[in-house]
């Protein structure tokens, strides 16, 4: 049992009271009470009926309270009207606490059947394979991975895709560097290939375009070769991008991220998906041939409130949007799948990672969905708006294709200083082209190193292997949490030191609460009896902690419906804060009786299990020591 049953019972009681009193049925809201003196749950029905009944909200609430008391459900101990007009309910904790604690022991606690196993495709990461992942990319990766975990918990059949743009301008840049710029395709000793490509080849060759026009011309030549895909340059480009991709994936896997399929842009171009979707757009009147004006001879998508978008230029060449539209249609299963699939790797979790091919000797698989979520930063909003509209026309469903946008990540002045960048005390925007960024590998290495020292100081008895494991768990937790806790429409200013803090709204603070709970249980040395009298838990701190534990599935539902990973991060934080308040004010191991000690240890165990499950949705491990 969770608080969902309490809420459902209150809804039923209020509706029955309205029927008995002859009141009009209205859609009312119930929510957790904002202040302790309001009880546990508040209902706004008095305000909604005020105009209909021509009465004051308080008078309506008072009449409803008197009626509800006649048939009060078992999980409600009292109901009253507040002067403000709210109808307030108080939970029956004698029943609620034991039910919540026992429910939380279930392996699938928090699971909800929102998706009913419908197919959901999530595309994220999609970083050009010409450089290492930086902290800005990490926000995309972590948002996508967390949404996938949440939707899986909400009973969707989730497939996660990573789009590999192996034929774009940025890939052409590093190929120019290797083939015509004099750079070796072997990195210096000890340097990852993706770091070498991004930090050296990509940055240096783009600088040289300004002074060497021949190199700039070769860029166009290489780009054409990559798109055609049959030349030696194209084969060389395929080898290079796959080497970069391999290193990028190592970073993603280190972050705890997994995928189901890699989709290569070069194969999308050669698959004839575009010609299929273009004909479909023309037949549906989505694409129009311009007869006059600056776009004469071009196929365009008409826009009501902004400039028309060119799909095919007058010379017959397709614009970059012509790659994204067929891919979106393929993800929704609108077009016949031209791809075959073969194994790319077995990931740490044991999940197979597939890759697309055009070789009919490989297997046929299915990675399309009833609904698609594409995680791309807000700078792509205009393009994504166009794709969303086209997919809605194709599918006749307005929410079949969703662009989940987010704002950028900047570096704090202190973190920029570690890169020898003087920002004048201001945050700085990252730029891969200019070489202004912090790589994800660097951040994880620094965070892990700092955590290792602190963990060794606190746990001198632990061996090197365990210290490394814990430091990595905390480093990943710190980075992932810092990317999730903010609203998606807010710019994140990333700071290395702040993200590792054991105080405040950080990943390590929450992880430490789990480690503390585990130590309490270990120190007790007791076998817990969950069938004993758990109703002995009656302090405000025990009630508050139980209430939060009981809200887990409600938070999962809220996060899944709103595609908001922040909801789960906020839940984890509130859970940790409530537990720490409980730990500070309530005696556990030195309580007055063995029965109370057992009951409180059961609550500690319930907290530990629920927090670990919630952290798992954020892709964060719950360490045993810190």
């Amino acid at each position: 049992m969770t608080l969902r049953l309490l809420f459902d019972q209150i809804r039923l009681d209020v509706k029955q009271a309205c029927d008995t009193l002859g009141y009009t049925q209205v859609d009312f809201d119930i929510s957790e009470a904002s202040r302790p003196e309001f009880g546990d749950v508040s209902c706004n029905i008095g305000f909604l009926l005020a105009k209909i009944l021509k009465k004051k909200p308080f008078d309506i609430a008072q009449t409803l309270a008197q009626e509800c008391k006649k048939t009060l459900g078992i999980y409600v101990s009292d109901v009253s009207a507040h002067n403000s007009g709210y109808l307030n309910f108080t939970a029956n904790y004698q029943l609620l606490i034991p039910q919540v604690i026992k429910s939380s022991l279930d392996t699938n606690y928090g699971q909800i059947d929102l998706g009913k196993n419908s197919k959901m495709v999530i595309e994220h990461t999609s970083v050009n394979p010409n450089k290492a992942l930086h902290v800005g990319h990490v926000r995309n990766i972590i948002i996508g991975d967390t949404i996938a975990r949440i939707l899986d918990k909400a009973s969707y059949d989730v497939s996660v895709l990573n789009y590999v743009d192996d034929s774009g301008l940025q890939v052409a840049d590093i190929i120019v560097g290797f083939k015509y710029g004099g750079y070796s395709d072997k990195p210096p000793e000890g340097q990852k290939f993706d770091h070498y490509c991004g930090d050296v080849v990509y940055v240096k060759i783009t600088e040289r375009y300004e002074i060497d026009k021949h190199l700039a011309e070769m860029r166009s030549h290489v780009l054409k070769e990559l798109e055609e895909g049959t030349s030696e340059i194209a084969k060389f480009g395929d080898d290079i991008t796959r080497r970069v991709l391999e290193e990028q994936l190592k970073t993603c896997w280190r972050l705890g991220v997994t995928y189901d399929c890699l989709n290569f842009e070069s194969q999308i171009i050669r698959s004839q998906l575009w010609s299929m979707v273009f004909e479909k757009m023309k037949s549906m009147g989505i694409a129009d041939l311009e007869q006059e004006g600056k776009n004469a001879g071009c196929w365009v998508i008409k826009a009501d409130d902004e400039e028309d978008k060119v799909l095919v230029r007058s010379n017959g060449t397709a614009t970059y949007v012509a790659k994204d539209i067929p891919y979106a249609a393929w993800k929704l299963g609108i077009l016949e799948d031209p791809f075959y699939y073969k194994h790319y790797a077995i990931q740490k979790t044991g999940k197979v990672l597939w890759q697309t091919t055009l070789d009919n000797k490989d297997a046929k698989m299915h990675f399309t969905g009833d609904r698609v979520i594409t995680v791309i930063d807000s700078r792509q909003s205009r393009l994504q708006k166009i794709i969303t509209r086209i997919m809605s026309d194709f599918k006749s469903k307005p929410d079949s294709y969703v662009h989940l946008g987010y704002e950028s990540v900047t570096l704090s002045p202190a973190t920029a200083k570690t890169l020898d960048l003087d920002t004048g005390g201001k945050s700085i925007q990252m730029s891969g082209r200019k070489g202004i960024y912090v790589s994800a590998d660097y951040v994880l290495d620094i965070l892990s190193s700092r955590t290792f020292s602190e963990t060794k100081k606190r746990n001198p008895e632990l061996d090197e292997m365990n210290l490394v494991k814990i430091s990595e768990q905390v480093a990943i937790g710190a980075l992932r949490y810092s990317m999730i806790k903010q609203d998606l429409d807010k710019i994140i200013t990333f700071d290395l030191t702040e993200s590792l803090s054991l105080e405040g709204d950080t990943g390590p603070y929450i992880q430490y609460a789990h480690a503390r709970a585990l130590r309490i249980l270990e120190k007790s040395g007791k076998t817990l009896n969950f069938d004993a009298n758990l109703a002995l838990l009656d302090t405000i701190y025990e009630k508050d902690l139980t209430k939060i534990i009981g809200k887990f599935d409600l938070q999962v539902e809220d996060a899944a419906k709103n595609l908001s990973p922040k909801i789960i991060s906020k839940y984890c934080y509130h859970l940790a804060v409530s537990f720490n308040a409980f730990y500070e004010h309530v005696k556990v191991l030195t309580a007055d009786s063995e029965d109370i000690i057992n009951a409180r240890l059961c609550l500690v165990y319930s907290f530990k299990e629920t927090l670990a499950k919630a952290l798992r949705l954020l892709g964060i491990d719950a360490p045993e020591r810190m």
Side-chain angles (χ1 to χ4, degrees):
M1 182 235 160
T2 68
L3 288 191
R4 182 185 296 276
L5 289 184
L6 172 65
F7 286 11
D8 288 347
Q9 186 175 78
I10 290 172
R11 285 192 185 93
L12 182 61
D13 289 347
V14 172
K15 286 180 179 179
Q16 287 178 342
C18 286
D19 282 341
T20 302
L21 294 166
Y23 290 171
T24 302
Q25 288 288 354
V26 293
D27 290 330
F28 55 85
D29 291 327
I30 64 170
S31 59
E32 189 175 358
S34 58
R35 286 155 59 178
E37 59 266 31
F38 294 166
D40 296 297
V41 178
S42 293
C43 176
N44 69 342
I45 192 166
F47 300 95
L48 300 175
L49 289 175
K51 286 185 178 180
I52 299 171
L53 300 176
K54 310 296 184 189
K55 293 181 179 180
K56 294 180 180 179
F58 171 72
D59 293 336
I60 297 169
Q62 192 172 46
T63 303
L64 283 169
Q66 291 168 354
E67 188 60 38
C68 284
K69 283 183 179 181
K70 297 176 184 177
T71 57
L72 219 53
I74 61 172
Y75 295 115
V76 179
S77 65
D78 192 24
V79 56
S80 61
H82 190 266
N83 292 335
S84 63
Y86 280 100
L87 187 62
N88 294 327
F89 296 82
T90 301
N92 179 358
Y93 283 100
Q94 295 291 303
L95 285 177
L96 185 66
I97 288 178
Q99 291 280 10
V100 168
I101 290 176
K102 290 176 183 178
S103 296
S104 70
L105 305 181
D106 193 309
T107 303
N108 295 319
Y109 184 59
Q111 188 89 19
I112 58 169
D113 192 17
L114 182 66
K116 301 188 182 304
N117 209 39
S118 59
K119 292 190 177 296
M120 181 78 79
V121 170
I122 300 174
E123 182 208 329
H124 68 81
T125 305
S126 307
V127 178
N128 292 314
N130 72 319
K131 57 183 171 295
L133 305 177
H134 62 58
V135 175
H137 299 133
V138 169
R139 189 174 193 189
N140 179 302
I141 296 165
I142 301 308
I143 289 169
D145 182 64
T146 305
I147 288 293
R149 291 166 183 265
I150 290 169
L151 292 177
D152 179 70
K153 189 76 169 176
S155 299
Y156 286 91
D157 181 2
V158 179
S159 293
V160 180
L161 311 181
N162 183 352
Y163 179 87
V164 184
D165 183 359
D166 58 343
S167 60
L169 279 174
Q170 294 192 27
V171 169
D173 288 333
I174 60 170
I175 303 306
V176 169
F178 289 133
K179 283 294 185 181
Y180 309 107
Y183 297 101
S184 169
D185 62 359
K186 294 181 175 56
E189 187 71 29
Q191 188 174 23
K192 283 182 72 185
F193 187 64
D194 55 341
H195 287 259
Y196 169 63
C197 286
D199 297 349
V200 179
V201 182
Y202 179 51
V203 172
K204 298 297 183 185
I205 204 69
T206 52
E207 289 175 354
R208 288 171 59 184
Y209 285 152
E210 299 295 324
I211 55 174
D212 191 334
K213 299 305 178 185
H214 174 68
L215 280 179
E217 290 171 4
M218 293 311 300
R219 183 195 203 197
S220 299
H221 167 70
V222 168
L223 185 62
K224 184 179 178 182
E225 296 278 312
L226 290 176
E227 290 187 350
E228 289 177 355
T230 56
S231 67
E232 288 302 314
I233 287 285
K235 291 177 184 176
F236 178 75
D238 183 64
D239 176 63
I240 292 295
T241 54
R242 285 177 176 271
R243 286 171 63 188
V244 174
L245 175 64
E246 183 180 350
E247 297 302 325
Q248 289 179 342
L249 287 172
K250 288 177 183 176
T251 306
C252 295
W253 290 331
R254 184 180 179 186
L255 284 164
V257 177
T258 59
Y259 306 89
D260 290 289
C261 186
L262 302 173
N263 301 77
F264 292 87
E265 182 179 88
S266 58
Q267 293 166 5
I268 292 171
I269 293 171
R270 298 165 204 154
S271 68
Q272 303 306 309
L273 273 178
W274 165 241
S275 59
M276 286 188 279
V277 81
F278 189 33
E279 290 305 314
K280 188 177 181 70
M281 290 171 69
K282 287 190 286 188
S283 67
M284 293 177 67
I286 297 173
D288 297 311
L289 181 62
E290 282 290 316
Q291 301 296 335
E292 55 187 27
K294 68 175 183 178
N295 291 330
C298 300
W299 285 91
V300 302
I301 301 172
K302 293 291 187 182
D304 297 329
D305 54 353
E306 52 190 19
E307 222 176 88
D308 294 344
K309 188 68 180 176
V310 175
L311 283 175
V312 180
R313 301 179 186 92
S314 57
N315 63 3
T317 60
T319 61
Y320 66 93
V321 72
K323 300 174 184 177
D324 293 325
I325 293 172
Y327 181 50
W330 169 83
K331 286 186 286 187
L332 278 169
I334 294 168
L335 303 175
E336 184 178 347
D337 189 354
F339 302 117
Y340 296 86
Y341 301 87
K342 67 178 180 180
H343 279 219
Y344 179 87
I346 303 293
Q347 298 164 100
K348 288 182 180 179
T349 59
K351 179 191 281 190
V352 174
L353 175 57
W354 297 86
Q355 60 177 317
T356 54
T357 77
L358 293 173
D359 188 345
N360 60 14
K361 295 177 183 176
D362 292 315
K364 272 292 183 183
M365 303 285 291
H366 297 284
F367 292 107
T368 57
D370 305 310
R371 195 175 180 214
V372 169
I373 298 168
T374 302
V375 184
I376 302 180
D377 74 64
S378 299
R379 290 172 294 183
Q380 300 292 324
S381 290
R382 182 174 181 246
L383 171 60
Q384 288 299 310
K385 185 178 177 182
I386 292 170
I387 295 173
T388 300
R389 179 160 59 87
I390 294 171
M391 294 307 113
S392 295
D393 290 341
F394 282 173
K395 200 81 171 178
S396 299
K397 289 183 180 179
D399 62 344
S400 58
Y401 183 92
V402 177
H403 167 220
L404 190 61
Y406 62 92
E407 287 299 330
S408 60
V409 180
T410 62
L411 302 177
S412 71
T415 300
K417 196 172 182 179
T418 66
L419 300 175
D420 297 324
L421 297 173
D422 183 6
T423 64
K426 296 180 181 180
S427 300
I428 185 171
Q429 192 81 35
M430 284 181 282
S431 169
R433 186 175 292 276
K434 295 178 182 177
I436 302 173
Y437 63 88
V438 178
S439 75
D441 292 318
Y442 173 78
V443 169
L444 287 172
D445 289 343
I446 291 294
L447 292 176
S448 186
S449 175
R450 293 181 183 179
T451 306
F452 183 92
S453 302
E454 187 62 30
T455 305
K456 187 173 184 179
K457 192 187 305 178
R458 290 168 178 258
N459 302 274
E461 78 283 0
L462 291 179
D463 59 28
E464 180 102 359
M465 184 180 296
N466 278 304
L467 288 171
V468 168
K469 178 183 176 182
I470 293 168
S471 62
E472 186 76 352
Q473 288 176 329
V474 176
I476 292 167
L479 183 54
R480 288 191 67 122
Y481 191 82
S482 68
M483 296 294 149
I484 288 298
K485 69 177 184 177
Q486 300 284 0
D487 290 317
L488 298 184
D489 61 354
K490 298 288 190 299
I491 293 174
I492 289 178
T493 299
F494 180 75
D495 184 88
L496 277 169
T497 303
E498 183 184 295
S499 66
L500 266 183
S501 174
L502 288 176
E503 301 296 330
D505 191 8
T506 66
Y509 170 79
I510 297 168
Q511 289 175 306
Y512 187 66
H514 178 274
R516 172 179 276 176
L518 191 58
R519 291 301 296 270
I520 293 171
L521 293 166
E522 288 178 349
K523 193 175 179 180
S524 76
K526 295 181 181 296
T527 300
L528 306 186
N529 181 6
F530 290 94
D531 293 322
N533 185 9
L534 301 180
L536 293 169
L537 302 168
D538 63 356
T539 70
I540 185 65
Y541 302 103
E542 290 159 336
K543 290 177 181 178
D544 283 349
L545 182 53
T546 304
K547 273 200 296 185
I548 297 176
I549 291 170
K551 290 195 294 184
F552 186 27
D553 65 321
L554 295 171
Q555 299 295 292
V556 171
E557 181 177 23
D558 194 10
K561 284 182 174 178
N562 292 289
L563 300 179
S564 175
K566 180 189 174 179
I567 289 171
I568 301 301
S569 70
K570 193 175 180 181
Y571 174 73
C572 289
Y573 177 63
H574 287 162
L575 199 53
V577 168
S578 182
F579 172 75
N580 286 333
F582 159 81
Y583 178 78
E584 184 180 345
H585 293 94
V586 178
K587 294 178 180 178
V588 179
L589 300 180
T590 58
D592 294 337
S593 71
E594 286 297 320
D595 288 341
I596 296 177
I597 290 174
N598 176 74
R600 289 176 178 170
L601 285 172
C602 287
L603 179 57
V604 171
Y605 186 87
S606 174
F607 158 77
K608 176 186 76 73
E609 290 294 293
T610 304
L611 181 60
K613 291 180 177 72
L615 283 173
R616 201 170 297 132
L617 296 184
L618 302 180
I620 297 174
D621 287 323
E624 297 180 2
R625 294 281 188 279
M626 278 185 68

